[in-house]
Amino acid sequence: MDDIDRHIVAALVADGRMSYTDLGKLIGLSTSAVHQRVQKLEERGVLRGFRAVVDPEALGLALTAFISVKPIDPAAPDDVPDRLRDLIEVEDCYSVAGDENYILKVRVGTAGELESLLGRIRTAAEVSTRTTVVLSTPFEDRMRSAH
Amino acid sequence: MDDIDRHIVAALVADGRMSYTDLGKLIGLSTSAVHQRVQKLEERGVLRGFRAVVDPEALGLALTAFISVKPIDPAAPDDVPDRLRDLIEVEDCYSVAGDENYILKVRVGTAGELESLLGRIRTAAEVSTRTTVVLSTPFEDRMRSAH
DNA sequence: AGTGAAAGTCATACTCT
DNA sequence: AGAGTATGACTTTCACT
């Protein structure tokens, strides 16, 4: 992981469909050398993949919320993430230090769907929940790609 | 935005570097028709772009935290996002309903960097902060791409 | 690790339907 | 809106350094 690798990663974070030809010109390396480095970055897991970034509202997911979750029985074995994995509305699941055990980020279309989701979270994971609704998103998913 | 568009979006969320040729085969459309649809999805803002997904730890960002933020002077004009935009450690900034005004997601390398960042957040935005440290990430960034 | 070249594949623009 | 086609560009592999 040298400066060239960091440069490649930064470029691909900014434009995931950039061609290896352009990438080579950008960083001053031959197409095949860039190709080889990208492959190794993928093999090492530095680059986890490439994805399209979608406007959630365009998919009818206008409501984002954070849900903090705490097991009702603190003595029970903690398999909360496994119990929530099938709920596709749950985009992120973080295990956290603090009063609550997990923070979830969820996206739904309507308040009614949020209500239904909260019920499913509580029964699936046997947890109590505390919900914080997102009003707007000044910025999101900014990726630091280099130092 | 019909089922074909949703199918295209789902495929590109799963693999942002998929060729239009493969995409066409996958959804049963010619390469040029797929190309045309993807262009329109980009123009309409449904597809915001394409990016590489990077392992934060590979970039030396092993510590993730949520920081809830509340203005010290509730009467002051609220330009918190603008004041935080230059802090590259702040990956997400959500305006939320609740006791606090904003939730930030930040990534840093060490506890010392988190401490320094908190100081910069408080002085830059004139806010008090409440920090929740992420211990592990069972899953993250799962994208619902279709219904 | 990087270069350069050769082969196959793909993107892109155009025309026609 | 989609299909088919042609051309230039790109990816990918390989031999060489």
Side-chain angles (χ1 to χ4, degrees):
Chain A
M1 193 71 197
D2 57 11
D3 281 340
I4 296 176
D5 281 342
R6 273 185 282 271
H7 199 160
I8 289 173
V9 168
L12 288 175
V13 166
D15 177 6
R17 280 185 85 93
M18 182 179 286
S19 73
Y20 295 135
T21 307
D22 288 346
L23 204 45
K25 284 174 191 159
L26 181 69
I27 68 173
L29 221 58
S30 70
T31 305
S32 45
V34 170
H35 187 244
Q36 199 176 318
R37 275 183 182 259
V38 171
Q39 272 189 181
K40 283 183 185 162
L41 287 166
E42 290 185 284
E43 283 163 15
R44 276 190 276 147
V46 176
L47 289 177
R48 286 181 174 164
F50 298 88
R51 53 166 44 184
V53 181
V54 181
D55 176 9
E57 301 208 15
L59 300 177
L61 302 173
L63 211 172
T64 302
F66 287 95
I67 305 177
S68 300
V69 141
K70 182 160 43 172
I72 291 169
D73 174 9
D78 181 351
D79 55 354
V80 169
D82 288 335
R83 285 157 175 262
L84 297 178
R85 214 175 291 272
D86 290 342
L87 302 177
I88 55 167
E89 296 92 339
V90 182
E91 207 165 87
D92 304 320
C93 173
Y94 301 95
S95 167
V96 295
D99 191 38
E100 284 123 345
N101 296 36
Y102 293 93
I103 293 179
L104 315 176
K105 193 182 80 194
V106 308
R107 289 201 206 264
V108 293
T110 64
E113 284 169 37
L114 180 58
E115 184 177 25
S116 136
L117 176 62
L118 283 165
R120 283 178 282 134
I121 288 172
R122 285 193 279 256
T123 58
E126 297 171 60
V127 292
S128 63
T129 62
R130 182 175 65 88
T131 301
T132 304
V133 171
V134 172
L135 302 172
S136 70
T137 304
F139 52 86
E140 193 173 24
D141 268 339
R142 305 195 308 176
M143 248 303 185
R144 301 170 69 181
S145 25
H147 284 214
Chain B
M1 194 72 197
D2 57 9
D3 282 341
I4 296 176
D5 280 342
R6 274 184 281 272
H7 200 161
I8 289 174
V9 168
L12 287 175
V13 166
D15 177 6
R17 279 185 85 94
M18 182 179 285
S19 74
Y20 295 136
T21 306
D22 288 346
L23 203 44
K25 284 174 192 159
L26 182 69
I27 69 173
L29 221 57
S30 70
T31 306
S32 47
V34 170
H35 188 247
Q36 199 175 318
R37 275 184 181 258
V38 171
Q39 273 190 182
K40 283 182 185 162
L41 287 165
E42 290 185 288
E43 283 163 16
R44 277 190 276 147
V46 176
L47 289 177
R48 287 181 175 164
F50 297 89
R51 53 165 44 183
V53 181
V54 182
D55 176 8
E57 302 208 15
L59 301 177
L61 302 172
L63 210 172
T64 302
F66 287 95
I67 304 178
S68 300
V69 140
K70 182 161 44 173
I72 291 167
D73 174 9
D78 181 351
D79 55 353
V80 170
D82 288 336
R83 286 157 174 262
L84 297 179
R85 215 175 293 271
D86 290 341
L87 302 177
I88 56 167
E89 296 93 337
V90 182
E91 207 165 87
D92 304 321
C93 173
Y94 301 95
S95 166
V96 296
D99 190 38
E100 285 123 345
N101 295 35
Y102 294 93
I103 293 179
L104 316 176
K105 193 183 79 193
V106 308
R107 288 202 208 263
V108 293
T110 63
E113 284 170 38
L114 180 58
E115 183 177 26
S116 137
L117 176 62
L118 283 165
R120 283 178 282 135
I121 287 172
R122 284 193 281 254
T123 59
E126 297 171 60
V127 292
S128 65
T129 61
R130 184 174 63 87
T131 302
T132 304
V133 171
V134 171
L135 302 173
S136 69
T137 304
F139 52 86
E140 194 173 25
D141 269 337
R142 305 195 308 175
M143 247 304 185
R144 303 169 67 181
S145 26
H147 284 211

